[in-house]
Amino acid sequence: MLRIAAQRLLQLITTVIIASSAVFLLIHLSGDPVAGFLPPGTSPAQQAATRHAVGLDRPIAIQYLTTVGDALTGRFADSWRAQRPALAVVLERLPATLILALSAVLVASVVGGLAGVAGARFYRSWLDRLLLFFEIGAMAVPAFWLGTLLILFFAVRLPVLPSSGNGGIRGLILPVLTLAAYPAAIIARLLRTELLAVRNQGYVRTAEGKGLSGWAVLLRHALPNALLPTLAYVGLQLSFLFGGAIIVESVFAYPGVGRLALQAATDRDIPVVQAFVVVVAVLISVANLAVDLIAIAIDPRLRASSRTFAHGR
Amino acid sequence: MEELLRMNRSRGPAANVSRRSLIGAGLAAATWLGTRGARNASAATSELVIDLTDDPKTLDPALAYTPQSWSVVHSIYDALVQYGPNWELQPLAAETFTQADPTTFAVKLRTGLTFHDGSPVTVAAIQRSLDHIRAAKSDITDLFSVVTKIEAVDDLNARIVCKEPAPWLPAQMAVWMLLLPEAANKPDVLAKSPIGSGPFKFDSYAPGNKITLTASSAYTWPSPKGTPLAEKATFRFVPESTTRVADLLSGATGIVASVPFDQIKAVETDKTRSIVVPLAGSAWVRIATDVPPFDNVKVRQALNYAIDADQIIKALFDGQGQRLTSFAPDERIMGWNPALKPYPYDPDKAKSLLKEAGVSGSVSAVLDYASTERGDVAEVLAAQISDIGIQTMAKQTEITAFNSTWTDKKAPALRLTSWRYYDPSTLLNLVVASNGFLSRFTAPAADKLIAEASTETDPKQRNADYQELSKVLYDDPPVIYLWNLTAVYGQAKSIEGWTPRADEYTIPTKGYGGIS
C-alpha cells in the first residue's frame, strides 16, 4: 500500500511539472503577455516597468524554474489584475465549481444509470427507442445552447427558476442539468451497450437458467460487470466537466472557477491561469485515484492483484 | 441586406457565425415560446439589480480600466469633475475647476462634502488620489506624470500644477482621480472595503458573483451625478448577453448593460425597453500608409468610397449608428467638423481612383480584426473592398497578437478597430502622429496640428486645431472612416429617472447631468 501511495505521489508531482510547463510554454508561445495585459499604446517605459514588476525581464530559464517551483510549492505570484495571491483568487472560486461539477456527476450517474439499465432491460421496446432519442439529443446539443433554452423556458416563459445561478439550490438546478446532459447520455449509452454485451456470457445464461427473473439477472449478475467500463468513463469525464463548467458558468453567470480561468486567460492574468491549471491537475489526479479505489472495491480481480502487488510477492 | 448576405456568404462562413446563429436560434425559440415581461421590477425602488458584463476583478480605482469597473468605482467614489450628457466636463466634487494659467488648474471643493466614514472631503483627498495612482501598479501612472505638485491653498482650495500645458488632463481626472479618504491609507481598505464620497457606500463583494452597495445618506446635495435611485444596489456579473436579456425579461434585473444589436427587439416588451446611447468612440479601419499601394492617397480615398457603411449600419447594427467624417463621432466631441460630409458609397469612383493611382491587376490585402470585434462586420468590409479590385481577406487575430502588431511592417495592412476615448489627444498622438507608438502614418501637416492642440489651453482654439486636423485627415485619410460606437441598455420601465451616462458607466442614480 505504501508503495502505491509513493507511486501516486510521484505521478502527481510529474503531472504538476508537466501541467505548469505546458502553461509556461503556451503563454510564451502566444506572444508577449505584457502586450496583452496593458492597453495598446502604452509607452515603452511603462511596458518595461510592468515587465520588471511581474518578473518577465528575468532570463527565460529562471522564469521557467520559478513557474515550476511555484507550482510544486503552491506559492503562486500575485494576480496581475486583482493584485493579491493567485492561489487565493482561484481557491475562493473553487467550491462553487466543485458543487456544480459533483452535482452534475451525481445527476449524470443516477439518470444515465437508470436510463442505461432501462434501455437494456427493455431492449428494442418503445422505451428504449425514446431514451435513445433523448440520449442522442443530449449528446448533440451544445451546452451553451441547451443552457440558453433552459433559461428562456424556465426563467422567462414559466418563471419558476432564476435565470442566472448565484446562491441557493434553485440557482443550481439549471446549470447542473445543462452540465449533466452530455455525460448522462454517454453513461446511459455505455451502460446499455455493456449490459447487452454481457447478455450472452455464460454466467448470465447460467443465472437465467437458474430461473431468476430478468431484473435479478440484470442487476445482480450483469450490472457489476458492465459497471467497470462505465466507471472508468466517469473518471475520465471529470476533466471534461471542468471544461464544460467554463461554458456553463458563463451562460448562467455562475461564480465558479471556470469562468475565472476564462477571464484570466483573455486578460493575460498569467499567475491566475497557472494556479488554475495546477489546482485542476491536482484535483483530477485525486479524482482519478478515487475512481481507481472504487474500481478495486467493485472488482475482486483488481483487489487481488493490488494485494499481491502491495506485499511485494 | 440581400446584397450583404450574398457577399458575406461568398466569403465563406465567418469564424464565429456558428455560435451566434445558434444563440439566434435560441432567441427565435424564445419568441416562439412567447416571452413574458418583467414580473416584479416594481420592487426596484428599494433594491435595484444591475447586470454588468463582467466582474471588475478589483475595487481599486487606480486599477479600473473598463466600463464595468468604472460603474462600480464611480458609484462609490466621486472625482473632481465628470462628463455630462453632452460630453462637457462638469464640476462634481469641485465647485469650480478652472484653468488658472497655462500650467495650473485651480480647484475649489464644495463645502460640506463627507466621505462614507464621516471624515470631511478636503484638498488632501486630491493629493492622496495622486499618490495612490503613482504607488499602485497602474497602467495609467504615465498619464499623471505631467502633474508636478498639488498646492493646498486652504482646506477647500488647491492648485494642480503641471510641468507643461496639459489641456487633456481634466478628462483623465474625471476617470481616474477619485477622491480618497485618509482611511484609504490603511491596508486592504482600497482593495476590500472602499470608502468614497460618492452616492453609494460599499457593502459586500462576492468575486465572480455580485457587488452590493447601499445608498449614502449624506449624498443629498444637488450632484450632477444624480442621487441614489434605490436604497440598495446590486451589480451582478453576467457575461452571456442572452442571459442578461433573460434576467431583464424575467424581472430578476432592472438594468442590463450591453444588449447585442440582434436582441434589441427582444427587449422591447410592455414592461421593458432598450435605450441606445451614442458613445464618444469610433470604428475605423487603420490603413498601413507605409507600404504600397496604400502609401498613395488616392488608394486610401478609394477605400473610403468602397464601403457602403450606411448599409452595414442598417443590416448589422439594427440601424444604430452614424457615419464618421473624422475620428470625432459627433458634434459633442472636440474636432467634429460640420463642413465635412461622409465619403459616399461610390465603387465606380473608387475604381477610377485606383486606376489613377496606377493600381491594377492582382493587388491583395488582409483585413485583420481582433477577437473582440465582430467577424461578420469584418467579412462584409473585406468583401466590399474586394469588389473594387483589391482582393481582401478578413483574418481574425487573438487580441494580444493584434495589439502587439500595430507597427509591425509584416502585419496586415488593414486593421479593423473600435476606439473609445475621453480626449482626442491620446488617440491622435498614438495612432496618427508620425512618432506615435501605434502609428504607421506620416503627414507633417497633421503632426503640427496634433502637437499644437496637445498643449493648447484655449478650448476654442484647441477645437479649431482639431477641426482643421479633421479636414487634413479627411483629404489624406489614414483610415477608412466607418461609424460611431453606441451602447445599448435594457431597462425595466418601472425604474424611473435613470438615464444612461455618456461615459458608459452604469451608475444607479437619478438626475444625471442635472436632468431631473
Side-chain angles (χ1 to χ4, degrees):
Chain A
M1 219 47 199
L2 256 181
R3 189 157 156 191
I4 291 192
Q7 207 180 21
R8 285 296 184 162
L9 193 66
L10 207 66
Q11 262 178 25
L12 186 63
I13 291 172
T14 319
T15 308
V16 168
I17 291 175
I18 292 174
S20 56
S21 304
V23 175
F24 183 84
L25 194 71
L26 286 175
I27 285 165
H28 285 267
L29 283 179
S30 64
D32 182 358
V34 166
F37 178 69
L38 293 174
T42 309
S43 71
Q46 178 89 53
Q47 287 194 25
T50 305
R51 206 166 273 128
H52 178 72
V54 299
L56 280 170
D57 55 349
R58 296 169 301 168
I60 197 92
I62 301 285
Q63 287 186 49
Y64 173 69
L65 291 175
T66 319
T67 304
V68 175
D70 285 353
L72 287 172
T73 55
R75 282 194 309 245
F76 297 93
D78 279 4
S79 155
W80 295 0
R81 292 281 169 201
Q83 303 208 345
R84 53 202 180 88
L87 189 63
V89 172
V90 169
L91 290 182
E92 77 188 5
R93 302 278 286 269
L94 190 62
T97 300
L98 285 182
I99 291 173
L100 177 64
L102 292 177
S103 311
V105 170
L106 193 71
V107 169
S109 305
V110 171
V111 174
L114 289 176
V117 170
R121 179 72 184 83
F122 303 108
Y123 179 54
R124 290 201 168 157
S125 71
W126 62 270
L127 182 66
D128 187 27
R129 283 168 212 277
L130 189 70
L131 286 170
L132 204 62
F133 174 78
F134 279 113
E135 285 156 18
I136 289 176
M139 284 158 72
V141 167
F144 62 84
W145 193 64
L146 178 63
T148 308
L149 276 189
L150 288 175
I151 288 174
L152 291 172
F153 192 77
F154 288 103
V156 179
R157 168 77 179 147
L158 322 162
V160 289
L161 289 170
S163 39
S164 42
N166 36 31
I169 296 281
R170 275 162 43 83
L172 205 57
I173 296 175
L174 295 183
V176 166
L177 283 183
T178 309
L179 193 54
Y182 181 79
I186 297 265
I187 289 172
R189 304 276 295 129
L190 258 177
L191 194 58
R192 175 178 172 278
T193 312
E194 291 296 330
L195 284 172
L196 293 175
V198 298
R199 200 171 46 165
N200 291 324
Q201 299 271 333
Y203 66 89
V204 173
R205 284 163 62 188
T206 308
E208 278 169 354
K210 286 195 297 186
L212 286 178
S213 73
W215 278 114
V217 173
L218 193 72
L219 296 181
R220 222 177 296 149
H221 297 274
L223 189 61
N225 289 286
L227 219 48
L228 268 183
T230 316
L231 190 71
Y233 170 77
V234 173
L236 276 179
Q237 200 58 31
L238 287 172
S239 51
F240 290 107
L241 274 178
F242 271 94
I246 294 180
I247 293 160
V248 170
E249 286 171 8
S250 293
V251 169
F252 290 96
Y254 186 84
V257 75
R259 213 174 112 201
L260 174 80
L262 184 67
Q263 267 183 14
T266 29
D267 289 351
R268 291 297 187 277
D269 195 342
I270 307 305
V272 173
V273 175
Q274 280 163 345
F276 169 79
V277 171
V278 169
V279 165
V280 170
V282 169
L283 267 178
I284 288 173
S285 302
V286 171
N288 284 339
L289 177 63
V291 169
D292 286 358
L293 291 177
I294 296 173
I296 290 172
I298 293 179
D299 190 342
R301 285 169 302 181
L302 289 174
R303 213 167 349 185
S305 73
S306 79
R307 200 177 297 132
T308 331
F309 190 64
H311 287 300
R313 250 173 285 196
Chain B
M1 184 74 191
E2 280 280 312
E3 186 80 346
L4 278 167
L5 287 174
R6 183 186 60 76
M7 283 184 289
N8 201 358
R9 209 163 33 230
S10 71
R11 307 288 321 160
N16 57 355
V17 145
S18 57
R19 183 155 181 259
R20 286 199 65 83
S21 52
L22 276 170
I23 290 189
L27 272 177
T31 320
W32 167 67
L33 294 166
T35 50
R36 287 198 194 172
R39 276 174 303 142
N40 52 3
S42 56
T45 41
S46 57
E47 183 183 358
L48 176 60
V49 180
I50 297 171
D51 277 10
L52 299 177
T53 55
D54 205 349
D55 189 332
K57 280 158 264 180
T58 168
L59 299 167
D60 188 328
L63 305 177
Y65 315 118
T66 58
Q68 48 273 20
S69 300
W70 290 321
S71 299
V72 174
V73 297
H74 285 269
S75 292
I76 299 169
Y77 297 97
D78 272 356
L80 292 171
V81 288
Q82 74 155 5
Y83 274 105
N86 292 311
W87 274 89
E88 74 285 26
L89 278 174
Q90 298 179 323
L92 181 60
E95 189 173 296
T96 58
F97 185 95
T98 51
Q99 184 100 46
D101 63 60
T103 56
T104 310
F105 299 100
V107 181
K108 180 177 191 301
L109 290 172
R110 288 180 202 261
T111 46
L113 296 184
T114 54
F115 288 105
H116 301 148
D117 63 356
S119 60
V121 176
T122 66
V123 292
I126 310 172
Q127 182 70 51
R128 278 193 289 268
S129 183
L130 183 67
D131 291 346
H132 175 59
I133 288 170
R134 286 180 175 165
K137 290 178 196 158
S138 170
D139 296 357
I140 47 95
T141 310
D142 257 14
L143 287 172
F144 289 87
S145 61
V146 72
V147 179
T148 48
K149 62 181 169 185
I150 296 173
E151 296 172 355
V153 179
D154 57 38
D155 270 2
L156 296 179
N157 283 280
R159 290 159 57 83
I160 300 172
V161 185
C162 304
K163 65 182 172 210
E164 63 191 33
W168 44 268
L169 186 63
Q172 315 299 337
M173 288 180 171
V175 184
W176 282 294
M177 203 184 233
L178 302 180
L179 299 179
L180 303 181
E182 194 164 6
N185 291 331
K186 288 185 215 151
D188 282 353
V189 167
L190 279 164
K192 288 187 178 156
S193 51
I195 300 165
S197 59
F200 285 90
K201 285 192 283 196
F202 174 77
D203 183 69
S204 63
Y205 173 30
N209 190 350
K210 61 185 175 183
I211 286 176
T212 307
L213 309 174
T214 50
S216 163
S217 52
Y219 211 80
T220 51
W221 53 282
S223 164
K225 200 181 251 180
T227 48
L229 196 56
E231 265 311 298
K232 192 174 159 195
T234 302
F235 288 105
R236 299 199 309 174
F237 319 127
V238 186
E240 196 62 58
S241 59
T242 317
T243 311
R244 287 197 298 279
V245 169
D247 280 351
L248 182 69
L249 295 177
S250 69
T253 292
I255 298 169
V256 297
S258 202
V259 174
F261 292 98
D262 55 5
Q263 295 188 30
I264 289 179
K265 288 192 177 65
V267 172
E268 297 293 343
T269 69
D270 52 344
K271 297 215 169 129
T272 60
R273 64 165 157 252
S274 65
I275 310 177
V276 181
V277 200
L279 296 174
S282 45
W284 28 269
V285 175
R286 204 282 297 269
I287 308 168
T289 53
D290 54 358
V291 289
F294 303 107
D295 52 348
N296 189 324
V297 61
K298 286 187 173 156
V299 175
R300 302 201 296 271
Q301 288 171 345
L303 289 173
N304 274 283
Y305 284 113
I307 302 300
D308 191 356
D310 286 319
Q311 180 76 299
I312 297 175
I313 292 171
K314 204 169 130 209
L316 298 179
F317 292 90
D318 196 48
Q320 309 293 344
Q322 67 184 61
R323 297 284 318 277
L324 300 179
T325 57
S326 67
F327 290 100
D330 63 40
E331 67 280 2
R332 299 173 300 169
I333 304 291
M334 216 171 240
W336 192 75
N337 189 334
L340 302 175
K341 295 281 163 273
Y343 275 89
Y345 172 55
D346 191 343
D348 294 332
K349 174 131 191 188
K351 282 176 199 158
S352 67
L353 277 167
L354 284 185
K355 197 176 280 172
E356 284 173 41
V359 176
S360 58
S362 59
V363 183
S364 65
V366 173
L367 172 66
D368 203 2
Y369 65 100
S371 39
T372 47
E373 296 283 344
R374 282 177 59 179
D376 51 354
V377 173
E379 294 288 344
V380 175
L381 291 172
Q384 293 187 342
I385 296 169
S386 299
D387 281 352
I388 63 162
I390 299 175
Q391 286 312 312
T392 305
M393 194 187 76
K395 171 174 155 278
Q396 193 193 48
T397 304
E398 208 279 327
I399 182 81
T400 306
F402 185 86
N403 279 342
S404 53
T405 54
W406 277 84
T407 53
D408 185 346
K409 297 237 167 171
K410 293 191 290 286
L414 305 172
R415 49 168 60 218
L416 173 60
T417 308
S418 300
W419 194 296
R420 292 162 210 208
Y421 58 83
Y422 299 95
D423 185 279
S425 74
T426 322
L427 162 67
L428 295 168
N429 273 303
L430 286 172
V431 178
V432 182
S434 55
N435 60 354
F437 294 138
L438 305 179
S439 174
R440 289 172 76 173
F441 182 69
T442 315
D447 280 355
K448 184 166 165 286
L449 286 164
I450 292 169
E452 277 171 15
S454 292
T455 53
E456 175 57 63
T457 52
D458 173 16
K460 281 213 177 68
Q461 183 55 46
R462 193 162 179 247
N463 189 29
D465 286 348
Y466 280 132
Q467 284 183 334
E468 198 185 330
L469 179 68
S470 293
K471 172 81 176 104
V472 169
L473 298 179
Y474 178 86
D475 296 333
D476 180 11
V479 300
I480 306 173
Y481 295 109
L482 300 175
W483 40 77
N484 68 336
L485 303 180
T486 49
V488 186
Y489 296 87
Q491 186 204 344
K493 288 180 181 168
S494 57
I495 293 164
E496 283 167 21
W498 182 76
T499 29
R501 294 169 57 93
D503 48 22
E504 220 186 339
Y505 311 164
T506 312
I507 299 181
T509 54
K510 56 183 168 191
Y512 162 61
I515 311 162
S516 53

